[in-house]
Amino acid sequence: MKRSMHKYGCLISCLLLIGGMASAQRTDDAIAQQFDAFRAQNLQEKLFVHTDKAFYVAGEIVWFKIYATDAQLQQPLDLSKVAYVELLNSEHKPVLQAKIAMNEATGNGSFQLPYSINSGNYVLRSYTNWMKNAGADFFFEKNITIINPLKKPDWPAAETSVYDVQFFPESGNLVGGINSKVAFRIVDAHGKSQEATGIIVNQRNDTVTRFKTLRFGMGNFSFKPYDADQYRAILTTNQGITITRPLPVVSPKGTVMQVKDNGRGQLSIHIESTGGGPVYLLVHTRQLLQKMITQDLANGEAEIKIDKKDLGEGISHFTVFNESKQPVCERLWFTRPSAMLVSLQPDAGQYATRKKVTLTITTKDPLSQPVTGNLSASVYLADALQTAPESGILSYLWLQSDLKGTIESPAYYFSENSPDLAEATDNLMLTQGWRRFKWENVMRATKSPIDFVPEAEGHIIQGKLVDKRNNQPAANITAYLSVPREKPLFNNAISTANGSVKFDVKNFYGGNEIVLQTNVQTDSLYRVDISSPFFEKYSETKTPLLAVSEKDADLLLVHSMQAQIGNTYYADKQRQFLFPRSIDTMAFYGNGDKQYYLDDYTRFITMEEVMREYIADVRVRNNNDKFSYRMRDKAFDRFFETPPLVLIDGIPVFDPTRIIALDPLKIKRIDVVAQKFYQNNLLYDGIIQYHSYQGDLAGYQLDPNALVIEYEGMQLEREFYSPIYETPGQLQSRLPDMRNLLYWSPEIRTDITGNKQVSFYTGDTPGKYIVVIQGITSNGLAGSSSTGFTVVK
């Protein structure tokens, strides 16, 4: 059975026969139970990324906001605390990468495009660690265009007359003697749709039927094939090019399903099979079971009616199982979802340069009642290069993310007044159908392995612990990861059977050295190799042809000049990064039981004196100049028999003699945990941590076996800068303001009345500006809107 899903042919006219079939309907719990069990074990995330625009020149900043949702409920999903964003070139090579902190199902970030970047179409993709289990086909992807006017572009070659024509029988196969509906799609070598007319002929060149495209290179036709015949299609494009392609082979046996809207609020499902026994129809919407019906065949046929109101919103899957409970045919049906109604109202339609613009944003539910929306907004100059977006969060979550391949003009399928909308939508379901799972995974009893866990607390640094003697993975060895700095981070992990180690590092922002080591006194024969957290598998989606040509050269220079002026005069403003306001900077053990600020005491010149005189909870032992510590257990007022964990700026120290050798004047504070402490699977008999003034280890020398590497934590949030022109001095500033992006905000929330006002100032560049806003409510109503205004000198 093909992945593509398909549509309806002929109805049974005998009412008596239909009534007999209806009376034979019943349910089959076994298939439904297996399906529900699979759904419960396979929570799926979806990401949508709103970028400030889709066209850039070298030197500009790409701003973006990430929305995370539950793929089944289509509601915000606060599961992953980290999202990965990559900018890929046409060869799937990452040009820029970032880890973005997620909070309450959203996150935001930015990319500064280097002046070394090549011109071309790029893919911005985003995913979470959990989404890697499903594969790259389920990641968010968006095409963006980047031009570097400082480097001569490779302009697109002349169009070639190579066409991709595909045919999709409604339920997967053509079966001899059974009337079938067949959808088709024709695109050029770059994936752009083509309009065409055509005929179907058999091997005797008899014309069987005629057809033509309806919209976006798609259409359908119906005919009754015979397995003794071979069929081919002869198409003629609008450019007069003739194309001949074979139809799928006709099978002598099989099952065909046809689905049709009967115009009375119902879908009629006609099933015809060359086999015997009952058939089972399972209907689900986003893996939420809607119907499970068992139907006996009468003369090889069955007729089922389903009320459309019983289907969920979005894409529903109709799957037919044979008497052996194997899936034999499937197709999709689309029900337009409810949406958040977003309206935008600028306080004027035209503004002078350097004037204040106030936008009033209103969010309502489908019943026009106010709702609180979590939104992001962008205002940019509209020209031949920077155009209005063709899709938004609504079309992506409900359509694009559940269909394979590129959908041309996805917003069309959510439009109001198109006479061809219903048929065009069904053609899309037939030609680009796809499911977010495989039936063989649903029907098997064993669970699929989970290779990637959700980062529900923060970023997880992963690696492999290997034996340096043979480079083979080593199991059951403890490894330690440290991020030495003023507020250090520390974690441990025990290697699994394949040597895998995973370190949870909450609140790791920005770039920093990380230190990895094993216990150098007992496990010095091992090392830790860190793995990249970015996924190195890619979807098969082709990057479209670059739409920019030499005729746009003058406009490109204007865009380049605008970017260079911004980077020259406002560079410092564009490089302002913020730590999250709510970040937890407390150590993994909290504040500890006691904190000793050494400046509060008379300073000693040796660390041994400090420990003996001030740190009463620690017993210091000296055996032939070999020092060791024991911690007092505050619960039982006795000393533990095994040593505590000793740290300096987050670095574990396995020999306290090296701590005793440090200059105590370089130590600011000593923390003490005077009790047993569990971290992951390790139990420490107390903790002592030494803090230097600068987080620089106070002269402590790392062990030669320690691995020290530069590592990028989660991206710091870049602050969007927009000049303010409130005073005469600001208005008369001689600094040029050539921005073509006037405003970007990833954090807009309407209040309980559904209202919010935002303000910004125009610059020195006249023209037509586009306002685009995207967002979602807490219960999953997605929506977007756009408007415009003009700036004149």
Side-chain angles (χ1 to χ4, degrees), residues 141-355:
E141 291 188 346
K142 176 179 181 176
N143 294 318
I144 66 172
T145 300
I146 301 173
I147 298 295
N148 189 344
L150 305 180
K151 300 173 71 174
K152 184 174 176 60
D154 295 325
W155 297 115
E159 293 287 336
T160 58
S161 55
V162 177
Y163 297 94
D164 178 24
V165 183
Q166 297 184 58
F167 296 91
F168 305 89
E170 178 172 11
S171 51
N173 299 290
L174 294 175
V175 179
I178 300 179
N179 195 67
S180 295
K181 184 175 185 177
V182 180
F184 65 92
R185 181 171 180 256
I186 174 171
V187 297
D188 64 17
H190 307 292
K192 184 165 180 60
S193 65
Q194 301 294 307
E195 302 305 315
T197 59
I199 59 174
I200 302 297
V201 299
N202 59 22
Q203 72 273 24
R204 297 178 296 276
N205 286 327
D206 297 329
T207 298
V208 177
T209 190
R210 299 179 182 273
F211 61 88
K212 65 178 180 179
T213 54
L214 179 68
R215 278 184 178 269
F216 311 124
M218 296 180 289
N220 68 79
F221 57 87
S222 296
F223 79 118
K224 181 182 286 188
Y226 295 94
D227 57 279
D229 291 339
Q230 296 86 45
Y231 300 92
R232 68 184 189 278
I234 303 173
L235 302 93
T236 303
T237 69
N238 283 1
Q239 294 77 30
I241 299 173
T242 300
I243 308 164
T244 302
R245 294 288 188 274
L247 260 62
V249 175
V250 182
S251 301
K253 296 181 180 180
T255 303
V256 171
M257 171 176 55
Q258 301 168 334
V259 180
K260 184 177 180 181
D261 188 339
N262 64 15
R264 297 186 294 275
Q266 292 180 317
L267 296 181
S268 296
I269 299 95
H270 180 74
I271 302 169
E272 192 167 350
S273 177
T274 59
V279 292
Y280 308 93
L281 175 66
L282 185 146
V283 184
H284 72 91
T285 308
R286 305 182 312 279
Q287 298 185 41
L288 297 176
L289 186 64
Q290 307 295 327
K291 293 284 184 180
M292 183 69 224
I293 298 172
T294 302
Q295 178 77 58
D296 292 321
L297 295 173
N299 298 323
E301 299 181 37
E303 184 82 11
I304 300 171
K305 287 183 171 58
I306 293 178
D307 289 338
K308 291 197 294 182
K309 63 180 177 58
D310 291 339
L311 299 178
E313 295 180 324
I315 296 176
S316 295
H317 296 240
F318 291 71
T319 308
V320 173
F321 296 78
N322 61 17
E323 59 184 333
S324 300
K325 298 184 180 179
Q326 297 298 314
V328 292
C329 53
E330 186 171 59
R331 65 104 78 216
L332 310 185
W333 187 270
F334 183 68
T335 302
R336 184 169 172 165
S338 302
M340 174 174 58
L341 306 177
V342 184
S343 65
L344 298 170
Q345 186 61 54
D347 57 347
Q350 181 174 293
Y351 301 87
T353 54
R354 302 196 176 190
K355 292 298 181 182

Side-chain angles (χ1 to χ4, degrees), residues 503-524:
F503 304 94
D504 292 311
V505 282
K506 290 177 60 178
N507 302 320
F508 182 14
Y509 287 85
N512 207 102
E513 286 185 344
I514 63 172
V515 180
L516 294 124
Q517 55 186 324
T518 57
N519 189 325
V520 295
Q521 293 185 317
T522 59
D523 300 319
S524 60

Side-chain angles (χ1 to χ4, degrees), residues 102-122:
M102 299 290 288
N103 182 37
E104 296 182 352
T106 64
N108 65 87
S110 62
F111 283 137
Q112 177 96 47
L113 298 176
Y115 282 106
S116 59
I117 198 167
N118 292 323
S119 298
N121 279 330
Y122 290 75

Side-chain angles (χ1 to χ4, degrees), residues 621-672:
R621 293 177 176 175
N622 182 357
N623 185 9
N624 295 324
D625 293 331
K626 186 75 172 177
F627 288 85
S628 63
Y629 292 161
R630 294 294 184 273
M631 179 68 69
R632 184 192 302 273
D633 183 354
K634 71 174 186 178
F636 298 99
D637 195 26
R638 59 181 175 80
F639 286 93
F640 291 115
E641 296 181 1
T642 56
L645 171 68
V646 180
L647 302 166
I648 178 167
D649 291 334
I651 301 292
V653 179
F654 305 103
D655 182 5
T657 305
R658 301 184 65 196
I659 290 290
I660 295 296
L662 292 178
D663 181 355
L665 298 179
K666 295 181 179 180
I667 300 300
K668 178 181 180 181
R669 188 180 90 226
I670 300 175
D671 295 346
V672 171

